[in-house]
Amino acid sequence: MQRLIEFARSVVAWLWIGFLLLAGCSREAAGPELAQADFSVPDDSLIVSGDRQWVDTGVEVTAGDALTVLARGKIVVRQQGKFHRKQPVEVGPNGTFFFSEEVAEHYFPLPSGARGPAPCYCLIGRIGDGPPFFVGRRKSWAAERSGRLELGVNDFDVSDNCGQFHAQVTKPGVVQPVSFQEAVPYGVYSGGPCSGCSLVVFYVDGLRPDVVREMAAMGHLPNINRLFIEGGVWSSNTFTAFPSDTITSNGTMWTGCFSDRHGLKGQVRFSRRTLYSESYLEPLGPSRSTRVLAPQGIDKVIQNTQATSIRLFKGDEASTRWRSTQTSGVAPIYQHLRAGGSDWATGVLPLMTQMPPLLWARSLVRYLPYLHAQEAWKYIDNANAHYATRHLLGKQPVTIIWLPETDSFSHKYRRGQFGMTRRTIAQADVLVGNVVRELQAQGQLQKTYLMLVSDHGHHGGRQTHLSHFDLTNEFFYKRREMSPDGCWIGGGLGLSVRQHRFWNRHRGDKSREFVFLDGDSDGVARIFLPRGNFRSGKWTGAHCPADLLTYKISDHLPPLNLIESLTAVKAVHGSGEVQHPIDLVLMKLSDRHVLISTADRGHAVIDRKKNDLGRWIYKYTPVESVAPITNGEVASYFARHATVDPLGLLDHLQPRMLEHYYDEKTWLNLTVHTGYPDGVVAFARHMFWQENLQYREAEFAPDLVVTARKGWYFGIKESPGTMHGYPFPDSMRATLFFSGPNIRRGARIDEPCRLVDLTPTILEMVGFAFDKHEFDGTALRNIYEPAEKTVTPTPQPVYWQDVDLQAWYPLNYKPLKCSAHLPFTVNRPSSAFDLNGLAYNALLIGDLSILRLFDDVLFPLSGEEKGVSHVVESTDRRMRRARSTSVAEAVQTLNIPGLTLSDYSFTSLGNLMRVDGAINWVQERSRKISGKLAGSLGCQTILGTPMAHEAIDGTQQGFWEIYGFAQRMVVHLLDETILNSVENGADHMINLFRRQPAEVIVAPSPLSVGRSKISDMQ
Ligand SMILES: [Zn+2]
């Protein structure tokens, strides 16, 4: 029983993943002091007292004047802390993003906390009666208005502050730059990596690069600024794949291929064969995604056995077909590394081979408040960074540290990375610093490349809040409104709908009659429909594009053009305006053509084919008169006189440029500054499925893909946060910085690249040979210093206006109501009383750290640096870096700081790991002794020793393999089978009595006469 409890408990790490998954002056004119770190402010400068809101500088300003302010000093503010005690916090002129929860909602003079992008308590300014603006420790800018300059403190209540800032105000004649940056010219590929280096990747989920730059310029990302901006190179035009979602992006980042090869196309996988949906974002998601790419270990054995038995009973073709429905066969980066005898080292990641990583749960429990498993998503960054520092660094050539909280906070909190999330980003910077310090202490930093990357950006929060449009319930599900004489006069389509773990049925619809949608809280949705017509009950068989233009949803109604119906939808935005919430509707026309339709910018067709060299080339043509033709296909005609097109390319390119095919690199360059960067290639790569995926396409491809218009997202609930998935620049642009041996410093590359280039770049960086034809991406070379420098680069000045994102104004948030047609559900993952949450909390108790329990009881009021655990951890860290490797390894094996309640049982995971580590330790010592003995005997080894080691290694590996597999099976049983079935069953029973008919008869009102069907949704 003890073992069973222990085992079940260790399963918990799996379960958390579900939670965590649910940013014109000449150079001579520039004064050097602003761009330098240590400028001085004289003692007789202006005093800005911490308890005064505004201080008159006595400086009269005329609009257009260049102004420079330098400041130093400290003020002490009081923030509400633990147990409602006010705690003093010291801040400099830059202010802080480490504000307490209690002040987040306050109205600061310059919107801060949850309301805006400014740091709390920073030095601010205003001219005359103009709006306040950020000043910080240094700023040089051109005044926008005339009047008297005042300086002040960004605090909603200055009365309890003390201390003062000293500020020096000058009029330098011209605006001074904040820093200098080398611009890397296009087409420089002559550099290369140093040999024998490893790589540590900081993967900050959803981080916007423009936010990184602004926060760094404001002095709030000191580590990132030192390592990556001043000490590294920024690839400023890096784009992810479409949709700009975590799962598709991870497939692309870690395989070096697009989704038409790796097959991870959305957050949810819906099977047309079984009508069953599985999410890549749930606890089993990460292992599901790796199994799609390339199964490992026991999964591989099982799959081979299944394929063999299918071959025996049903023949070769059936076996091949079955195998290709299971996996895409595209090798992820870890498979390339394993082929070379290495591996990657990761904590939790959206795509994982070892799930959960052993002992990872304990890193999480260190930070998670007691019995708050439902809030685990707020502590993953700390857990992953801690886990990497303790268990991963220095073990493998590639270490990946995923910091997902930036994305999770952006989704949930007001204004995303222009609000509350800035605290998370500032915290991520601290974690980056901790990891780099550990690398340095271990003596590895000189031979380590560092990478800062995000999988996508975020849309919204800067100038507007987003509104949700419930495509599922307000368009597909909502009842049709019929006049008494049987005419359809409004409402929705009246169809039963499904999302993952969500059913909404109409009375009378059979179990196979529904529309499935993948796309909740997202800028994109993928729509699956029964083939032919809604009542066909047929989900498999050939995709027939013409059917969607003449789709019958009911026997007594004429067929619908689904594309037109979708683009015509209107809804009321939070701003009060009636808008079209749907931007693009994408449909595959044939194996070569994709149709893009809009409400107001016409249609276009992307045509893709292979050129003589076997590379893909693409043509984009605006078309008109899109209509079904007799053979089930859809025809359209070249729109010769088009002035607009769906992707807005005619605004940037001559119409005759669109008459030709171009390769992928050219398309990326042509579209980089458009509203849909890399759109032509990205849409095609998403809508097509290559030969290795043909069986998966038949089972998993949607009929239509729709994207949300600016300011909107698809979802059933309102959120003040920001979203991704869109093809827009802010969502498609990813963060990508490098630093390390031979990497350019203080440089910026504007030449565009894609995240698909990541895997080949990484493999080349750590010295692994590969066949470049295996990848769609190419290894980036322009990040390195060129072998021969022909010209010395001139650093370009960077001004405050280049980094200022101008999001300082407060935004009003008006949440829209949820659809009146939402079904009831008992599944509430954010609640402590959710069934899964209760189970996790009960299971977690054994993972509580003994040292933390000590501290919380003995020192309840102290901050982060806690008594007992702090002492034990720092001693442990010092000893692990001991000069004697045997001492260091022995300390690591014992893992004293990782001691948990469950370790009172000898068979706990912690103790099993200690035994495993001890075996390695003994093996390593005996190897050395055996080597020395053999050396003195004049031979390479003592007979039998290597074989004995191999047998021990094999047994150890086999044990952990089975352990991991069994854990996954238990999660499947507990989480996906038992708990989900209980919840789904309860939902089903409750909603059974709430079902509505698909149509309702309404009395005609004069207003609704002539109103277009289904187009007015609110
Ligand atoms: Zn993501």
Side-chain angles (χ1 to χ4, degrees), residues 203 205-206 245-247 250 402 407 455-456 724:
Y203 159 19
D205 205 298
D245 276 335
T246 299
I247 297 302
N250 270 268
W402 182 40
D407 183 66
D455 49 350
H456 49 74
H724 50 89

Side-chain angles (χ1 to χ4, degrees), residues 50 78 258 296 439 475 558 567 603 610 624 668 681 707 792 818 847 921 927 938 983-984 1007 1017:
R78 285 169 200 283
F258 287 107
Q296 304 289 315
L439 278 170
F475 176 76
T567 54
H603 312 267
K610 279 194 169 163
E624 56 194 9
L668 179 58
V681 175
T707 70
T792 318
C818 283
D847 269 324
W921 189 82
R927 241 182 226 133
E983 287 186 343
N984 292 349
L1007 279 176
M1017 292 288 123

